[in-house]
Amino acid sequence: MNPHEHELVYPWPDVPAAGTVHSLRPGLHWLRMPLPFALDHINLWLLDDEIAGRPGFTIIDCGIASDETKQAWESVFDTVLGGRPVLRVLATHFHPDHVGLAQWLTAGGARRRWSAPLWMTATEYAYARFLAAGSDDASGDGAARHFARHGLSDPAALAKVRARGGGYYPKLVPAVPGSYRRIMDGDGIAIGPHGAKRVFRVIVGHGHAPEHASLYCEDDRLLVSGDMVLPRISTNVSVFDLEPEADPLPRYLHSLDRYAALPADTLVLPSHGKPFIGLHQRIAQQHGHHRDRLAEVLAACAQPKTAAEIVPVLFKRELDLHQLTFALGEALAHLHALWHAGQVQRQEGNDGVFRFRAVAD
């Protein structure tokens, strides 16, 4: 949790119950959907819209494919939409809580028959399509080999990782629309009814996901930040088996700096936590957080360390398996930042495990 949270301002102390919305500004509605993890919710955004003279709504992010989330969406359809259709669904990135119900939403849910396009960046769409197809190796044997090479030796934990197999992502994202509308960095997307449209500029960020799209409206000073800027927790930045040599942490920090040019009073709409004001403070907090963590990891590597041995350096609490895989990925992201910068060396032992050791001055 963020120890400097008092530096941020939360204009809305209460959160919307599942199946309801809080209207934050005219035509801008906040929804919250449940997640079955320690991080137990995701914020989604519903915006009044009109396309080609047809009034309706744009949805930003989707929630996972679960009966509970579908029921909450059906309640919103019945009470908020007033018979108007969803005109488009925009997903910030490929993670299951953001794109899980994209197919279901674009096709009109369970009882409706609208047909709305999915808008995403190309890389995020490709990742979603690939993982939803369900490779046996993805999130299963490949992930277990990756974590084992970085020091995870508990047979029970490795067995659980293998057991997830290629069915983990498709369980949360059972289908992705067969076509999409590509968005790119710098694009302007007009959302709103005729005469009251907001133009959102796409800001692509890296590190958390390969081509994450945030949306900024200059006229209203609104930033739909997705997972790139969160108020209470640090955005997960990890190295996983699909890109085992990756160096995502510097890319994430560089991406954060792109938001520093936005006004100080920007209202940030994050995917987790509450809407807040204090963007510049949060960027500085994140830089400070990772600077401190990198220093701790470098000090710990005075003797050779695996990523698994770095996890308790970064995370002082008990972790379940879901949290452990992300913690390992994050520990490895910090080690790789130091490795690619030449501050630590990586060596593969006779046991096939990678260990990192600080370079002597």
Side-chain angles (χ1 to χ4, degrees), residues 273-293:
K274 299 174 185 175
F276 71 96
I277 297 171
L279 176 62
H280 293 176
Q281 292 91 326
R282 191 59 181 139
I283 292 169
Q285 290 168 11
Q286 285 292 277
H287 274 287
H289 168 81
H290 287 293
R291 182 176 59 250
D292 293 346
R293 300 294 82 76

Side-chain angles (χ1 to χ4, degrees), residues 321-342:
L321 179 66
H322 184 263
Q323 294 169 315
L324 177 60
T325 57
F326 282 102
L328 271 166
E330 186 125 357
L332 194 51
H334 285 78
L335 286 166
H336 274 201
L338 296 169
W339 175 44
H340 284 283

Side-chain angles (χ1 to χ4, degrees), residues 93 95 203-210 212 214 225-238 246-260 276 279 282-291 294 330 333-334 337:
H93 60 297
H95 291 162
I203 303 175
V204 164
H206 309 283
H208 176 70
H212 181 295
S214 299
S225 64
D227 279 346
M228 291 297 291
V229 185
L230 303 174
R232 299 201 68 203
I233 59 175
S234 297
T235 296
N236 180 263
V237 179
S238 286
D247 188 17
L249 184 55
R251 292 191 180 99
Y252 172 71
L253 295 173
H254 177 72
S255 295
L256 269 187
D257 289 338
R258 298 192 65 194
Y259 304 112
F276 71 96
L279 176 62
R282 191 59 181 139
I283 292 169
Q285 290 168 11
Q286 285 292 277
H287 274 287
H289 168 81
H290 287 293
R291 182 176 59 250
L294 286 167
E330 186 125 357
H334 285 78

Side-chain angles (χ1 to χ4, degrees), residues 38-356:
L39 182 59
D40 62 3
H41 71 275
I42 179 172
N43 299 323
L44 313 175
W45 315 101
L46 182 69
L47 287 78
D48 293 9
D49 204 358
E50 182 179 339
I51 298 177
R54 186 185 183 203
F57 294 87
T58 283
I59 291 171
I60 300 178
D61 285 335
C62 306
I64 62 168
S66 70
D67 290 341
E68 190 176 5
T69 306
K70 289 177 181 178
Q71 291 169 7
W73 268 119
E74 292 286 2
S75 177
V76 170
F77 296 159
D78 290 339
T79 59
V80 180
L81 267 61
R84 289 173 289 170
V86 172
L87 301 175
R88 62 183 150 193
V89 175
L90 194 155
T92 57
H93 60 297
F94 80 95
H95 291 162
D97 47 338
H98 297 263
V99 78
L101 279 180
Q103 174 67 39
W104 187 82
L105 288 169
T106 56
R111 294 184 274 118
R112 294 151 189 86
R113 289 296 177 266
W114 59 66
S115 179
L118 173 66
W119 292 39
M120 292 183 77
T121 62
T123 313
E124 301 297 327
Y125 177 75
Y127 261 74
R129 284 292 300 273
F130 165 69
L131 292 172
S135 164
D136 289 339
D137 202 45
S139 300
D141 288 340
R145 288 193 299 270
H146 175 67
F147 292 136
R149 292 198 79 186
H150 288 286
L152 182 61
S153 58
D154 178 27
L158 289 170
K160 289 179 181 178
V161 172
R162 291 190 191 95
R164 292 196 311 191
Y168 179 72
Y169 190 91
K171 180 181 178 181
L172 304 175
V173 189
V176 176
S179 63
Y180 79 114
R181 168 77 176 267
R182 183 179 185 180
I183 60 175
M184 300 176 66
D185 186 58
D187 283 355
I189 302 174
I191 304 175
H194 180 70
K197 287 193 177 291
R198 295 180 172 97
V199 177
F200 288 87
R201 173 168 56 91
V202 177
I203 303 175
V204 164
H206 309 283
H208 176 70
E211 196 182 0
H212 181 295
S214 299
L215 302 168
Y216 175 65
C217 175
E218 184 174 5
D219 288 342
D220 271 10
R221 296 188 175 183
L222 289 172
L223 175 66
V224 180
S225 64
D227 279 346
M228 291 297 291
V229 185
L230 303 174
R232 299 201 68 203
I233 59 175
S234 297
T235 296
N236 180 263
V237 179
S238 286
V239 175
F240 290 122
D241 55 303
L242 286 178
E243 195 180 352
E245 304 289 302
D247 188 17
L249 184 55
R251 292 191 180 99
Y252 172 71
L253 295 173
H254 177 72
S255 295
L256 269 187
D257 289 338
R258 298 192 65 194
Y259 304 112
L262 304 184
D265 61 351
T266 295
L267 174 62
V268 182
L269 307 181
S271 291
H272 309 284
K274 299 174 185 175
F276 71 96
I277 297 171
L279 176 62
H280 293 176
Q281 292 91 326
R282 191 59 181 139
I283 292 169
Q285 290 168 11
Q286 285 292 277
H287 274 287
H289 168 81
H290 287 293
R291 182 176 59 250
D292 293 346
R293 300 294 82 76
L294 286 167
E296 290 176 352
V297 172
L298 183 60
C301 289
Q303 298 298 321
K305 291 288 189 298
T306 67
E309 291 170 326
I310 292 298
V311 167
V313 175
L314 298 178
F315 301 90
K316 312 300 183 185
R317 64 187 187 278
E318 195 75 22
L319 302 172
D320 61 28
L321 179 66
H322 184 263
Q323 294 169 315
L324 177 60
T325 57
F326 282 102
L328 271 166
E330 186 125 357
L332 194 51
H334 285 78
L335 286 166
H336 274 201
L338 296 169
W339 175 44
H340 284 283
Q343 294 181 270
V344 301
Q345 294 176 331
R346 188 184 79 171
Q347 294 183 330
E348 183 176 3
N350 294 331
D351 55 0
V353 174
F354 286 122
R355 293 174 176 84
F356 298 81

Side-chain angles (χ1 to χ4, degrees), residues 2-68:
N2 177 12
H4 304 288
E5 195 174 4
H6 62 278
E7 298 176 8
L8 309 179
V9 175
Y10 295 96
W12 294 274
D14 299 322
V15 302
T20 69
V21 303
H22 282 358
S23 295
L24 306 185
R25 290 185 181 174
L28 171 63
H29 315 286
W30 171 24
L31 302 82
R32 178 169 280 201
M33 296 295 182
L35 295 176
F37 313 119
L39 182 59
D40 62 3
H41 71 275
I42 179 172
N43 299 323
L44 313 175
W45 315 101
L46 182 69
L47 287 78
D48 293 9
D49 204 358
E50 182 179 339
I51 298 177
R54 186 185 183 203
F57 294 87
T58 283
I59 291 171
I60 300 178
D61 285 335
C62 306
I64 62 168
S66 70
D67 290 341
E68 190 176 5

